[in-house]
Amino acid sequence: MKVLRMYPTSLNDRYLDEAVKAVENGDIIIYPTDSLYAMGCDALSNTAIEKLCKVKGVNPAKQTLSVVCDGLSMASEYARIDNEAFRILRANLPGPFTFILPASTTLPKVFKGRKEVGIRIPDNPVATALAERLGHPLLSTSIPQSEDGMDAQAIAHIYENTAALLIDAGESDGIPSTVVDLTDSRSPEIIREGKGELK
């Protein structure tokens, strides 16, 4: 596994390009978000998604899959966002939230039959720059960490045979995102309390 050290305050174009190239090649990468570190792959590649789900022991037919977008415009291509949902998203994003929304039909076949998709727009320039350069979302799943956080070196050691590349942005605080069910935008439901406080 290649480790690239890059902080949200000083993005490295060459490293971002290298990470995006790995994603385009179907590889799994590990990168920082505004909550935990996450494993990501190309959200439009069935092969990459199946590989990532296998690594995490996730059944894509039964669990909601989440994607990281660079902004609301990209999110609206992959989820159906009505006016009320848009208002809530705009008030809280970018931020440490995963919003469960009705899925659109533009997602690949691994999502077919799934009525929902998790939308993430992290308040972390590394994560959003990856989606922006890729031109579409990354499928994203957080890496379980201890409550006192976990540094990138420990993550690299655990996942050295899983991911092609890791972007080291220092230690995460170990607090996951807040998950909000927005499938009925008139009555948002918090499924998991995490780092974000819903506005």
Side-chain angles (χ1 to χ4, degrees):
M1 176 197 290
K2 189 162 189 180
V3 177
L4 305 174
R5 186 175 282 259
M6 173 170 52
Y7 294 98
T9 48
S10 56
L11 298 183
N12 181 313
D13 283 334
R14 193 165 55 81
Y15 286 177
L16 286 169
D17 287 342
E18 199 171 333
V20 167
K21 196 164 195 298
V23 172
E24 288 172 339
N25 287 341
D27 290 326
I28 293 169
I29 66 165
I30 296 172
Y31 61 98
T33 72
D34 51 2
S35 54
L36 306 176
Y37 273 89
M39 270 196 270
C41 70
D42 187 339
L44 300 189
S45 163
N46 282 304
T47 313
I49 291 170
E50 283 162 6
K51 184 159 77 172
L52 182 52
C53 287
K54 192 173 176 187
V55 165
K56 278 293 297 265
V58 169
N59 179 346
K62 291 187 177 164
Q63 284 169 270
T64 301
L65 300 176
S66 294
V67 297
V68 163
C69 302
D70 69 355
L72 288 175
S73 177
M74 182 183 284
S76 67
E77 293 178 46
Y78 300 95
R80 296 202 305 280
I81 304 171
D82 63 22
N83 289 340
E84 184 57 22
F86 185 79
R87 185 192 67 74
I88 293 167
L89 295 179
R90 200 171 58 187
N92 292 281
L93 296 174
F97 293 93
T98 303
F99 286 103
I100 310 297
L101 287 153
S104 75
T105 53
T106 46
L107 288 162
K109 72 172 185 231
V110 77
F111 285 88
K112 292 293 179 268
R114 300 293 303 150
K115 295 183 173 64
E116 293 135 18
V117 62
I119 294 290
R120 280 277 274 133
I121 303 172
D123 188 12
N124 182 308
V126 174
T128 51
L130 289 169
E132 183 183 6
R133 286 180 185 229
L134 186 61
H136 55 261
L138 290 131
L139 187 86
S140 185
T141 175
S142 57
I143 292 175
Q145 287 158 61
S146 61
E147 284 180 14
D148 55 352
M150 185 188 282
D151 66 26
Q153 295 305 317
I155 293 168
H157 180 69
I158 295 166
Y159 294 101
E160 62 184 339
N161 297 321
T162 301
L165 182 146
L166 180 145
I167 296 174
D168 177 358
E171 192 166 339
S172 85
D173 58 16
I175 305 169
S177 64
T178 291
V179 180
V180 183
D181 187 339
L182 254 193
T183 49
D184 178 356
S185 60
R186 287 158 306 178
S187 55
E189 183 187 349
I190 294 174
I191 297 174
R192 180 182 74 195
E193 290 276 3
K195 198 170 180 177
E197 279 191 36
L198 195 65
K199 292 176 193 158

